[in-house]
Amino acid sequence: MQSIKQQLQAVQTLQELENLKVQMSGKKGVLTLAFAQLKNLEGEEKKQKAQELNLLKQEFESIYENKKSELQTLELAKKLEKERIDVSLFTQNKAGKTHYIHLMIEKILDYFSLLNFEVCQGSLIEEDFYNFEALNIPKFHPARDMQDTFYTRDQKVLRTHTSPVQIHTMLNKKPPLRMIAPGAVFRRDYDLTHSPMFHQVEGLMVDEKGLVSFSHLKFILEDFLKSIFGDIQVRFRSSFFPFTEPSAEVDMSCVFCQGEGCRVCSHTGWLEVLGCGMVNDNVFKAVGYENVSGYAFGLGVERFAMLYYAINDLRGFFEVDLRN
Ligand SMILES: [Zn+2]
């Protein structure tokens, strides 16, 4: 009996504990047999032995119950430890990150936000008026060929540039205004350097006639390009856009060869990065602005990101590749 009590104290698992219980009070258990022996005794002796056995039984059961709950707690803790889910396991390997296009847009907006340009956004599907006509691109005008695009069955257009946001903003606000419009645009092109969907950022500043000049535009764009690409040279070349007059393309010295000439810059030392100009009076007429002057500029975000992050294939931006 004593040895069973000692064994009871020493058990390590619930299984061992149950085995001991069978040894003690199972069909052929020590206690069961001892109780069975009582029938051979009589009188005082029987009474005394019965009391003894009952005490033993109580003692055993009390130790047994304590031990059982102790072991159950222990085994549960072990099980929890073994089955614990390491939530960090997946995040370490599969964490997402911000897309380069969006990182680039954030960088651009950071610069212009500091100059109090308001960020404006618009619809991807536009009326012809906002995408073309108000921007001095009449129906059947050859300028539309530069921006061949997709139409819906009811003759709405997937916007070919973010410029319709400028029209909506000017129709809703009185001058002066400073705005910057980032977003996706669409054109019918697909090759190594063109995708049918890409991103633009456009800026517009309008104020009383004479207060905004081409000099302001030049200064801001040069400062902006240097804030993104560092120590570079900037040059303006005269160009044509229907919605600005005069218009210019902006080149910066090649960030890969520092103007020496390489494959990326077609050995010219220069990279074309922006289009800009003074807003054409026909655009102001279309939105009912009078006695104002303003400048506008636009850039392709993919182009900026390719140059900034040294990415050589545009399609990488839109392919699903979890390694990147
Ligand atoms: Zn170069």
Side-chain angles (χ1 to χ4, degrees):
M1 188 62 221
Q2 279 305 320
S3 86
I4 285 188
K5 276 204 292 191
Q6 276 165 5
Q7 284 179 49
L8 200 51
Q9 294 295 2
V11 292
Q12 300 286 333
T13 66
L14 281 169
Q15 187 57 51
E16 284 173 34
L17 185 70
E18 289 310 312
N19 291 345
L20 271 177
K21 193 180 180 197
V22 173
Q23 281 185 43
M24 197 67 181
S25 49
K27 268 186 184 169
K28 291 176 180 172
V30 183
L31 263 178
T32 317
L33 291 177
F35 275 110
Q37 298 290 321
L38 284 176
K39 68 176 189 292
N40 302 327
L41 302 173
E42 290 196 353
E44 232 3 74
E45 198 185 357
K46 187 179 183 177
K47 197 176 159 191
Q48 201 183 342
K49 190 71 184 171
Q51 272 180 352
E52 248 175 58
L53 285 176
N54 273 325
L55 272 176
L56 263 175
K57 192 183 170 200
Q58 278 169 22
E59 197 181 354
F60 175 80
E61 277 172 358
S62 139
I63 300 174
Y64 167 84
E65 287 303 330
N66 284 340
K67 198 71 192 175
K68 189 176 173 183
S69 92
E70 187 187 311
L71 285 172
Q72 274 173 342
T73 314
L74 216 80
E75 293 209 351
L76 182 66
K78 268 192 205 159
K79 197 175 167 195
L80 284 177
E81 179 60 31
K82 203 170 134 193
E83 294 175 3
R84 197 164 68 118
I85 296 169
D86 182 355
V87 288
S88 67
L89 199 64
F90 299 105
T91 52
Q92 276 165 4
N93 298 327
K94 303 216 170 162
K97 60 182 179 185
T98 312
H99 196 283
Y100 287 131
I101 295 298
H102 288 273
L103 286 175
M104 202 67 234
I105 290 177
E106 276 171 23
K107 273 184 198 297
I108 296 166
L109 297 188
D110 279 352
Y111 175 86
F112 286 101
S113 300
L114 280 176
L115 298 178
N116 273 342
F117 277 69
E118 184 190 353
V119 178
C120 299
Q121 287 185 302
S123 168
L124 300 181
I125 301 175
E126 271 296 352
E127 303 284 344
D128 189 276
F129 172 78
Y130 299 100
N131 194 80
F132 291 124
E133 283 189 51
L135 288 151
N136 201 28
I137 313 174
K139 275 200 170 70
F140 310 113
H141 193 279
R144 289 213 179 187
D145 290 348
M146 295 161 72
Q147 301 190 3
D148 206 0
T149 185
F150 305 94
Y151 289 84
T152 62
R153 285 204 183 90
D154 53 353
Q155 289 306 300
K156 288 190 170 56
V157 57
L158 297 195
R159 66 180 188 187
T160 59
H161 43 192
T162 42
S163 313
V165 183
Q166 300 185 11
I167 302 299
H168 285 288
T169 309
M170 286 193 281
L171 284 170
N172 288 326
K173 284 186 177 171
K174 292 196 178 336
L177 65 87
R178 289 178 208 188
M179 57 158 288
I180 189 110
V185 300
F186 306 85
R187 292 196 198 170
R188 214 195 62 181
D189 302 311
Y190 190 49
D191 58 40
L192 273 179
T193 51
H194 295 88
S195 147
M197 189 279 297
F198 57 102
H199 296 79
Q200 278 191 340
V201 173
E202 282 194 352
L204 169 72
M205 178 170 179
V206 183
D207 209 324
E208 271 176 51
K209 202 164 191 73
L211 283 187
V212 184
S213 73
F214 203 93
S215 315
H216 297 128
L217 175 63
K218 268 191 87 173
F219 173 80
I220 287 207
L221 291 185
E222 191 167 337
D223 189 54
F224 160 63
L225 286 172
K226 286 181 173 168
S227 83
I228 303 265
F229 292 103
D231 190 17
I232 41 130
Q233 302 289 312
V234 176
R235 73 177 185 187
F236 287 67
R237 276 181 296 114
S238 66
S239 182
F240 166 78
F241 300 111
F243 28 80
T244 45
E245 179 68 40
S247 306
E249 308 256 14
V250 185
D251 298 340
M252 67 176 183
S253 53
C254 179
V255 286
F256 297 104
C257 64
Q258 279 74 44
E260 295 285 310
C262 69
R263 202 175 58 82
V264 180
C265 57
S266 305
H267 304 281
T268 61
W270 295 95
L271 298 164
E272 184 187 319
V273 284
L274 280 155
C276 67
M278 300 306 290
V279 180
N280 191 304
D281 272 343
N282 287 339
V283 176
F284 286 140
K285 269 183 208 145
V287 297
Y289 275 16
E290 285 173 351
N291 288 319
V292 291
S293 56
Y295 62 70
F297 56 87
L299 63 91
V301 181
E302 279 77 2
R303 173 104 169 125
F304 264 55
M306 284 172 84
L307 297 173
Y308 187 81
Y309 296 108
I311 293 166
N312 56 19
D313 187 344
L314 175 83
R315 291 169 298 191
F317 286 130
F318 312 118
E319 279 170 1
V320 181
D321 185 343
L322 292 178
R323 289 172 307 170
N324 301 315

